[in-house]
Amino acid sequence: MAEQRTFRVGLVGARGFVGRELLRLVRDHPRLELSYATSRSLVGREISGEVPGFPGGQVFLKSDPGVIERDADVVVLALPNGMSGAYIDAIESGQAQALVLDLSADRRFDDRWVYGLTEHNAGAIRSARRISNPGCYATAMHLALRPIIDLCATPPHCFGVSGYSGAGTTPSEKNDPEVVGGNVLPYSITGHLHEREVSRHLGTPVRFAPSVGGHFRGIVLTALCELRDPVSVGDLASRYDRAYAGSAMVEFDAEGSVDLRGVVETNQARVGALSVNKDNPKRIGVVCSLDNLLKGAASQAVQNINLALGLEETEGLT
Ligand SMILES: NC(=O)c1ccc[n+]([C@@H]2O[C@H](COP(=O)([O-])OP(=O)(O)OC[C@H]3O[C@@H](n4cnc5c(N)ncnc54)[C@H](OP(=O)(O)O)[C@@H]3O)[C@@H](O)[C@H]2O)c1
């Protein structure tokens, strides 16, 4: 049998919470191999000193657009919002043939980039060379709402609680264990970026109120909807069953509990806990939980890279 090809990955922003998860996923992926990883603060340090399992002598390179000249079939950008542009310009002028996946919000509003919501956009992702990965809360909102959005009479209202790793590593009150420990902090309750992102990609407005909690990782998101017509839990369940029956990464359980512990440190999202108000069966609720660093970021990125490279969607993720 012919040997299967390995694809070389360049990872820009490898020190961050998402970057570290990506290092681990690339290390364990049978068809991906790390070409380079960058960081400003870890330049010259052994990668295996941060994430064990990389060859001795393989060190972090400096984060600089010049790094793009190095050999890579896939370039993954895991930088804070607003930082990807210089790297994308360098790719377009030097390595335009590379598959590029950006984890920041910088290209989520750019129609030239394919939105990497794997379960609902796989066809476009398979032929994409430029993929913008969805936000973590945004992924949870899409997974909860897409199967029933056409039934809604008014904009759905979503409420999400995230672990403080969602705020990245740059110090702020939203990731300070002294502030968030044993606490829940509501923030951006009428203008969060992910509200705009989901409204844009769903093609209909959504309202979203986030909070950050005292746990490190994981999101639980509740969506409340007013429908045009009365429904039963069974009616809704058949829609979610159809949407996620073939999905390896979304587990649907109509009336099962959807909590944080069931998804933390896994690649799976859970959707369920369907509820229909008994006095007004046009009012419904649905819950989605996922690990913000994995299905909300790094493992969804690998699902998308797999599809775009023509590999099995779950390769390296089982
Ligand atoms: N955290 C989540 O749950 C989550 C989920 C979905 C999407 N995302 C998105 O994924 C991206 C990475 O998130 P994260 O949580 O991993 O962030 P993070 O922990 O703050 O990491 C940011 C990374 O970028 C580097 N960096 C910071 N400022 C930089 C600059 N000015 N120039 C070049 N490199 C810089 C950092 O390393 P050095 O300082 O060593 O250079 C680090 O590797 C963000 O765009 C975020 O919105 C995050």
Side-chain angles (χ1 to χ4, degrees):
M1 205 165 79
E3 198 174 311
Q4 292 189 311
R5 183 181 166 200
T6 298
F7 298 89
R8 290 171 64 71
V9 177
L11 174 56
V12 181
R15 177 191 63 82
F17 286 142
V18 175
R20 279 168 195 268
E21 294 292 345
L22 283 162
L23 280 175
R24 191 180 56 74
L25 289 170
V26 170
R27 178 197 66 193
D28 295 344
H29 195 297
R31 303 288 298 280
L32 300 181
E33 180 191 354
L34 189 70
S35 172
Y36 60 83
T38 82
S39 155
R40 295 166 311 164
S41 51
L42 299 175
V43 182
R45 297 253 287 267
E46 296 255 349
I47 298 174
S48 62
E50 301 296 319
V51 176
F54 288 94
Q58 191 170 18
V59 298
F60 288 96
L61 304 180
K62 185 175 160 204
S63 291
D64 178 277
V67 77
I68 295 301
E69 286 164 26
R70 290 182 171 249
D71 170 45
D73 303 295
V74 185
V75 178
V76 181
L77 303 172
L79 298 168
N81 290 341
M83 302 284 159
S84 296
Y87 294 87
I88 293 168
D89 289 347
I91 292 164
E92 299 303 355
S93 56
Q95 295 280 10
Q97 77 292 347
L99 169 64
V100 186
L101 184 139
D102 185 11
L103 280 129
S104 80
D106 293 0
R107 293 296 183 273
R108 293 183 200 150
F109 297 86
D110 182 338
D111 286 332
R112 292 167 299 179
W113 287 57
V114 171
Y115 191 55
L117 183 69
T118 325
E119 281 70 25
H120 295 282
N121 209 15
I125 295 165
R126 278 196 183 89
S127 54
R129 302 308 291 164
R130 301 286 179 267
I131 301 172
S132 179
N133 230 50
C136 46
Y137 289 118
T139 300
M141 281 190 265
H142 280 294
L143 294 178
L145 291 173
R146 284 209 166 216
I148 49 121
I149 192 67
D150 58 313
L151 303 178
C152 294
T154 57
H157 283 63
C158 300
F159 170 72
V161 181
S162 173
Y164 61 86
S165 60
T169 54
T170 303
S172 77
E173 71 159 11
K174 293 209 291 292
N175 58 18
D176 179 350
E178 290 288 312
V179 179
V180 294
N183 203 354
V184 175
L185 290 183
Y187 69 102
S188 300
I189 59 174
T190 61
H192 194 279
L193 178 69
H194 293 184
E195 179 179 279
R196 276 200 290 127
E197 177 184 334
V198 174
S199 299
R200 178 177 192 272
H201 288 281
L202 270 178
T204 188
V206 169
R207 309 287 182 239
F208 171 51
S211 289
V212 59
H215 58 291
F216 179 65
R217 59 199 290 167
I219 287 175
V220 176
L221 180 125
T222 304
L224 298 173
C225 309
E226 295 271 347
L227 308 185
R228 281 188 305 277
D229 299 304
V231 288
S232 66
V233 167
D235 295 333
L236 298 176
S238 61
R239 282 178 166 250
Y240 286 95
D241 272 331
R242 271 202 303 281
Y244 299 126
S247 169
M249 297 303 174
V250 180
E251 294 171 9
F252 169 64
D253 182 354
E255 290 175 274
S257 96
V258 176
D259 67 356
L260 196 70
R261 286 189 188 160
V263 292
V264 163
E265 294 187 17
T266 81
N267 299 321
Q268 267 82 26
R270 286 191 180 174
V271 176
L274 297 181
S275 169
V276 176
N277 181 275
K278 71 177 171 20
D279 299 322
N280 175 3
K282 295 182 184 177
R283 278 189 54 203
I284 67 134
V286 54
V287 183
C288 177
S289 64
L290 51 77
D291 187 317
N292 54 297
L293 299 178
L294 291 171
K295 182 59 183 160
S299 63
Q300 183 156 240
V302 172
Q303 275 181 281
N304 290 330
I305 290 167
N306 284 341
L307 288 179
L309 293 176
L311 307 177
E312 283 296 320
E313 181 188 323
T314 55
E315 187 107 44
L317 293 174
T318 46

